[in-house]
Amino acid sequence: MQPLYEERTTRRRPGWMWAGAAAGLLLAGGMFVGNSTRARTPVAANRPPGETFVASGTVLLGDRGSFVTDGHGGCSGTGGHADVQEGAQVVIFAGLGFAGGRLTDARALADGTCQFRFSVSGIPARQDSYLLMVADRDSRQYVEQELKSALLALRVD
């Protein structure tokens, strides 16, 4: 006589399979715990990547020995200030970024000074401090509010 149902035989899984499954669970659990306990940056501290501003102002050479006039109302630096001339670079460093512009509109003024204008756009906003350099000269430190001021004037002599 034959049995009504077939007797099932169970096969044992090898030990290395159980060890692999346990290692996988530990790894997944560790990744979950690591991500949930990591310190997060507050959303308010994240700045939009494109937030910038424009700084405009004047650069003055006030010592008669630091510039010459061209006879047509213009002027340019001379001697130790020969690099201060129309077209010279103005660079503002901010954190890891920077923005640049050029000196323009050189004018010899009636008060005996030589004045240049500049405008630098694309300056990264909300940085701790900014370094402004004119014509590769020593940089000067500013805060954002000073750079946004309508009366930004540098004297380089």
Side-chain angles (χ1 to χ4, degrees):
M1 180 168 200
Q2 287 189 341
L4 293 174
Y5 59 92
E6 232 178 89
E7 193 173 311
R8 292 186 186 183
T9 59
T10 57
R11 294 180 39 188
R12 296 194 72 163
R13 293 192 179 13
W16 62 268
M17 287 181 85
W18 289 110
L25 285 173
L26 285 173
L27 180 64
M31 289 171 53
F32 175 76
V33 170
N35 282 335
S36 64
T37 60
R38 185 180 306 150
R40 303 215 185 261
T41 304
V43 174
N46 293 335
R47 291 186 270 291
E51 192 175 348
T52 62
F53 66 95
V54 176
S56 299
T58 58
V59 171
L60 297 171
L61 290 172
D63 177 12
R64 279 275 191 198
S66 64
F67 69 94
V68 294
T69 60
D70 64 6
H72 303 287
C75 57
S76 64
T78 187
H81 296 88
D83 56 345
V84 182
Q85 57 186 319
E86 196 159 333
Q89 289 186 340
V90 177
V91 181
I92 298 177
F93 297 94
L96 297 177
F98 68 93
R102 299 229 176 249
L103 293 179
T104 62
D105 196 26
R107 294 184 184 213
L109 303 179
D111 66 357
T113 61
C114 176
Q115 174 184 288
F116 302 88
R117 295 184 188 275
F118 71 89
S119 182
V120 178
S121 60
I123 303 167
R126 297 186 181 154
Q127 301 296 310
D128 292 334
S129 65
Y130 299 85
L131 293 176
L132 188 147
M133 185 181 342
V134 176
D136 295 327
R137 296 183 161 272
D138 292 337
S139 56
R140 296 184 186 168
Q141 191 167 354
Y142 293 89
V143 294
E144 185 171 336
Q145 207 53 34
E146 291 173 313
L147 291 177
K148 288 180 174 180
S149 169
L151 302 173
L152 180 60
L154 296 111
R155 191 170 171 136
V156 294
D157 60 350

